[in-house]
Amino acid sequence: MRVIRVGTRKSQLARIQTDSVVAVLKALYPGLQFEIVAMSTTGDKILDTALSKIGEKSLFTKELEHALEKNEVDLVVHSLKDLPTVLPPGFTIGAICKRENPYDAVVFHPKFVGKTLETLPEKSVVGTSSLRRAAQLQRKFPHLEFKSIRGNLNTRLRKLDEFQEFSAIILAAAGLQRMGWQHRVGQILHPEECMYAVGQGALGVEVRAKDQDILDLVGVLHDPETLLRCIAERAFLRHLEGGCSVPVAVHTAMKDGQLYLTGGVWSLDGSDSMQETMQATICVTAQHEDGPEDDPQLVGITARNIPRQAQLAAENLGISLASLLLNKGAKNILDVARQLNDAH
């Protein structure tokens, strides 16, 4: 029986996410055996520094890619938002699975259960490791203070519950759902309060770009709508040259053949911001493709089973929106945010 080795981070959430992908693959390919290989990444080891300060693009992916390169694993399951928009040569995202809830959620300290961010007492401290969340929420809720909190989900919840430092913490709703901790969600943040991170709520399967066998194997996992939304989001971020060290956020929706993309940039304290919405017509009906493309990758993603025209339209939408913001002065906001973040 052929064994397919699947790489993952060691955290409980990463294991749950990987197990869910492997379960689907097992059902699709009963003749194959799947073996999970768990490892720690730089981001898992450096826990005393804010993510945006570590200055490493592939914080949660480098060690896993190293194993992929050395042929120790055949595919790796990631949270898509951890994957940079430009992957190292030789790698590609071979599948993007159906997105779960992409929004952010607020988990409150037991003594504040029933509250919302709006009704928390003045100067309450809210924990988040994300500049994107802090910038947007500072603007929206000026009576609150935002402070970095690191560690995996279990660690962060323990820090919230056992110490009196934080009144609430902000986490991705999808992660809480996957862990079975929906009951802890006190508030879901909607786009008008806090737009989400590029790729949030979706899982990406990274493979060796030249490994056609594995690409074919995982390609069936692509969810067309999630794929096209995430191509647009990733193209927007890539064109802005955003990353962990600047506050960039998005919101996408697909309706009646139209893909809507809202994107925004913020200064670190949220006082300066800029956002716009654009839409594009996307045709997702299957079409006959003439021969393989030389470089089928778009923003690091390979999806030969989804119409190329639809993918290009989604990518173009992301680039157009980023260009619009850059023309209106977004570069200045991002440059200042980057410099301030580096200086702190």
Side-chain angles (χ1 to χ4, degrees):
M1 210 183 211
R2 186 177 170 199
V3 178
I4 305 290
R5 298 148 308 161
V6 183
T8 174
R9 285 168 61 196
K10 277 184 175 166
S11 77
Q12 188 186 351
L13 176 60
R15 289 300 304 262
I16 286 171
Q17 293 179 168
T18 302
D19 288 346
S20 72
V21 171
V22 168
V24 176
L25 288 171
K26 275 182 175 165
L28 287 167
Y29 305 107
L32 296 177
Q33 206 176 334
F34 293 87
E35 182 188 306
I36 293 174
V37 182
M39 53 195 94
S40 291
T41 65
T42 311
D44 296 311
K45 292 170 193 158
I46 307 175
L47 290 174
D48 54 353
T49 312
L51 287 179
S52 58
K53 295 276 190 297
I54 303 172
E56 165 71 73
K57 262 216 173 93
S58 49
L59 266 184
F60 295 109
T61 57
K62 202 156 83 182
E63 285 77 359
L64 296 162
E65 283 172 342
H66 198 51
L68 205 49
E69 191 173 30
K70 292 196 302 195
N71 219 353
E72 291 167 0
V73 295
D74 300 301
L75 55 115
V76 175
V77 178
H78 301 279
S79 289
L80 185 61
K81 70 179 166 110
D82 290 339
L83 279 166
T85 54
V86 180
L87 297 184
F91 301 104
T92 189
I93 299 164
I96 293 180
C97 308
K98 190 170 171 56
R99 188 176 221 164
E100 293 203 33
N101 184 341
Y103 298 118
D104 288 314
V106 188
V107 179
F108 293 91
H109 186 282
K111 70 178 178 200
F112 290 121
V113 166
K115 293 265 189 207
T116 63
L117 288 181
E118 201 143 7
T119 59
L120 276 178
E122 190 83 23
K123 296 261 184 288
S124 291
V125 176
V126 176
T128 172
S129 57
S130 151
L131 295 179
R132 170 189 62 80
R133 291 171 182 149
Q136 292 181 81
L137 295 172
Q138 253 171 321
R139 184 185 178 94
K140 195 87 185 158
F141 306 103
H143 70 293
L144 302 176
E145 288 179 11
F146 293 87
K147 198 174 164 192
S148 177
I149 184 169
R150 286 290 320 281
N152 60 39
L153 281 190
N154 312 54
T155 309
R156 289 189 220 184
L157 280 174
R158 197 173 64 245
K159 284 179 181 174
L160 171 69
D161 291 343
E162 293 178 11
F163 305 106
Q164 301 304 312
E165 186 180 2
F166 298 102
S167 301
I169 57 176
I170 318 286
L171 300 164
L176 289 162
Q177 270 169 356
R178 290 180 187 129
M179 295 283 275
W181 292 340
Q182 297 92 321
H183 64 284
R184 290 300 309 263
V185 175
Q187 182 180 2
I188 292 280
L189 297 172
H190 292 291
E192 53 281 1
E193 297 165 310
C194 189
M195 290 201 294
Y196 43 80
V198 165
Q200 185 159 310
L203 299 179
V205 181
E206 190 179 17
V207 301
R208 290 178 289 273
K210 297 260 189 297
D211 196 338
Q212 200 49 53
D213 199 20
I214 298 290
L215 267 168
D216 292 343
L217 183 92
V218 302
V220 292
L221 298 173
H222 271 305
D223 176 69
E225 182 178 312
T226 303
L227 169 81
L228 295 167
R229 286 171 61 188
C230 290
I231 284 178
E233 292 172 17
R234 285 171 66 83
F236 171 72
L237 182 65
R238 181 196 267 190
H239 199 69
L240 280 178
E241 292 183 358
C244 255
S245 59
V246 286
V248 173
V250 292
H251 177 257
T252 47
M254 194 103 154
K255 202 172 175 223
D256 304 329
Q258 294 287 313
L259 176 57
Y260 298 86
L261 169 65
T262 302
V265 301
W266 286 260
S267 58
L268 288 190
D269 64 359
S271 60
D272 207 359
S273 81
M274 192 177 284
Q275 67 184 68
E276 291 287 346
T277 302
M278 286 178 95
Q279 69 192 79
T281 304
I282 306 272
C283 181
V284 197
T285 48
Q287 64 195 49
H288 180 68
E289 303 272 326
D290 290 334
E293 301 272 342
D294 285 344
D295 180 17
Q297 286 201 40
L298 290 183
V299 283
I301 301 161
T302 302
R304 289 184 187 274
N305 51 343
I306 308 289
R308 182 85 179 159
Q309 279 317 106
Q311 294 183 57
L312 288 167
E315 182 189 42
N316 206 26
L317 176 63
I319 293 169
S320 301
L321 185 64
S323 302
L324 175 65
L325 286 179
L326 289 169
N327 289 338
K328 294 180 80 169
K331 189 170 173 7
N332 189 37
I333 297 177
L334 292 173
D335 286 347
V336 171
R338 220 175 254 119
Q339 286 157 6
L340 277 173
N341 184 51
D342 290 346
H344 274 264

